[in-house]
Amino acid sequence: MLGPIRVAVVGMGKIAHDQHLPSIFGNADFQLAATVSSRGEATGGVPLFRTLDELLASDTAFDAVALCTPPQVRYALAQASIAAGKHVFLEKPPGATLAEVAVLEQYAKAAGVTLFASWHSRYAAGVGAARAWLAGRDIHSASIVWREDVRVWHPGQAWIWEPGGLGVFDPGINALSIATHILPRPFFLEEGTLSLPANRAAPIAAMLSFRDAHGTPIAMDLDWRQTGPQTWDITVETDAGTLKLSKGGAELYLPDGEHKSEDHEYPGLYARFAHLVKAGESDVDISPMRLVADAFLRGRRELVEEFHD
Ligand code: NAP
């Protein structure tokens, strides 16, 4: 491909503004070509469309889309983009079901375009070094604690409580995207409990127990009712001591002290997307989403107090 990849951003919500636009403007491999916003939110001095179909019917030239909508509407947008020969960057989680993501992967392959299922937390500052340090170690156990205040981080996001919105697994899947990346062996759900507010379709908390093929226990504690200090920690006990990732992977503590490196979550994702487009490849790892799907499949439900924004 000659020149920058001309990308249209679809769904001008929090993550589009906070991360996608700055990462596109900060990467010479990309050029913002258009935005699609159902509320008609203009930005970046580029053409604005109310729907993706309007953009596709226009004479605006573009090569790729970044789909920043909630997951429930992502399949139709991705399908239409692939049909039009566009490369597709999927926000996490890559869809509302595993099967629709598998369909998209096949469809992109047949169309010869790139499909990128992004997991931003894998690009957090400490994650690469954590993965390298754990490779080849004897893992005794791991613990994931993701406790945050939903009123602070997801105010008014009705979609997140609907089927396919994942509830507390919307942040929890970030933890699983890190764990599946840094732990040397795949793991699976043994048992779990999902806590559902009586007035909502998605869990507000979950306690899960996983195990890998060597029997290593991995515990996960997700809770959206946390006020005060917020926790996004992964702790791994090994034969060489304790590894701790804090702040969602931004901080890494090893037995010899803290290891610092640059945060590059969304710049890292866009660098990866550019690489995939240039190489004519796709990257669709569904392993974090499969674990979440298994939690919904295998977990016991308990009803808890109603939640009101
Ligand atoms: P958001 O603030 O609610 O924005 C989503 C945007 O998508 C809306 O503003 C809307 O934009 C568009 N949209 C299209 N169809 C929609 C529908 N049926 N319901 C609601 N919005 C619809 O959500 P977000 O926090 O940006 O999250 C979007 C995706 O990014 C999610 O999959 C989330 O997991 C992921 N993500 C979020 C964060 C974060 O910190 N917030 C971090 C990483 C990843 P228009 O009105 O412009 O059409």
Side-chain angles (χ1 to χ4, degrees):
M1 179 180 292
L2 290 175
I5 301 161
R6 296 163 297 182
V7 61
V9 175
V10 183
M12 297 305 296
K14 183 171 185 333
I15 202 62
H17 282 288
D18 289 359
Q19 299 293 345
H20 286 262
L21 293 180
S23 299
I24 291 166
F25 293 140
N27 185 331
D29 279 332
F30 290 94
Q31 181 186 325
L32 184 67
T35 57
V36 175
S37 171
S38 55
R39 288 167 302 135
E41 201 191 295
T43 190
V46 295
L48 160 72
F49 299 87
R50 292 279 182 163
T51 67
L52 177 64
D53 285 346
E54 286 176 19
L55 166 60
L56 290 170
S58 76
D59 57 7
T60 299
F62 66 108
D63 310 297
V65 292
L67 301 182
C68 304
T69 64
Q72 294 99 327
V73 297
R74 211 169 281 143
Y75 172 81
L77 297 168
Q79 202 269 351
S81 302
I82 294 168
K86 310 301 178 190
H87 307 292
V88 177
F89 179 131
L90 299 168
E91 250 302 345
K92 51 70 43 172
T97 70
L98 290 169
E100 71 182 35
V101 178
V103 167
L104 287 179
E105 189 175 11
Q106 293 229 326
Y107 198 39
K109 191 173 179 191
V113 299
T114 292
L115 182 67
F116 180 34
S118 69
W119 299 108
H120 63 89
S121 293
R122 287 182 175 174
Y123 293 79
V127 172
R131 177 182 160 101
W133 192 83
L134 288 171
R137 300 245 186 250
D138 190 5
I139 313 288
H140 297 158
S141 66
S143 149
I144 300 167
V145 181
W146 237 243
R147 289 176 156 257
E148 63 178 45
D149 185 343
V150 64
R151 288 189 174 88
V152 171
W153 300 103
H154 301 280
Q157 290 186 336
W159 60 265
I160 220 162
W161 293 103
E162 294 301 317
L166 299 189
V168 75
F169 286 97
D170 176 82
I173 204 168
N174 299 335
L176 290 170
S177 76
I178 297 174
T180 50
H181 190 60
I182 65 172
L183 292 174
R185 282 183 296 276
F187 53 93
F188 57 92
L189 185 78
E190 280 202 319
E191 60 179 9
T193 301
L194 312 184
S195 304
L196 285 112
N199 60 337
R200 300 285 181 168
I204 195 166
M207 293 288 274
L208 305 168
S209 302
F210 300 95
R211 211 168 272 282
D212 70 13
H214 290 202
T216 313
I218 298 152
M220 186 171 196
D221 170 357
L222 303 177
D223 207 317
W224 251 351
R225 298 164 296 194
Q226 178 83 14
T227 53
Q230 309 281 289
T231 305
W232 300 280
D233 288 349
I234 298 178
T235 308
V236 186
E237 301 296 343
T238 81
D239 55 341
T242 303
L243 172 148
K244 185 169 181 181
L245 272 170
S246 282
K247 301 204 170 140
E251 294 178 0
L252 173 62
Y253 300 91
L254 295 174
D256 62 356
E258 185 176 359
H259 284 240
K260 289 193 183 292
S261 56
E262 288 287 303
D263 178 59
H264 62 299
E265 287 198 22
Y266 277 79
L269 288 179
Y270 272 90
R272 175 82 178 137
F273 188 43
H275 168 82
L276 292 169
V277 170
K278 288 177 193 170
E281 294 170 4
S282 287
D283 177 354
V284 186
D285 175 13
I286 50 92
S287 57
M289 190 168 161
R290 190 166 53 203
L291 293 170
V292 172
D294 281 355
F296 281 91
L297 193 64
R298 185 84 164 90
R300 182 183 304 280
R301 267 99 170 141
E302 64 171 20
L303 282 186
V304 296
E305 194 182 336
E306 289 192 358
F307 175 82
H308 298 279
D309 271 316

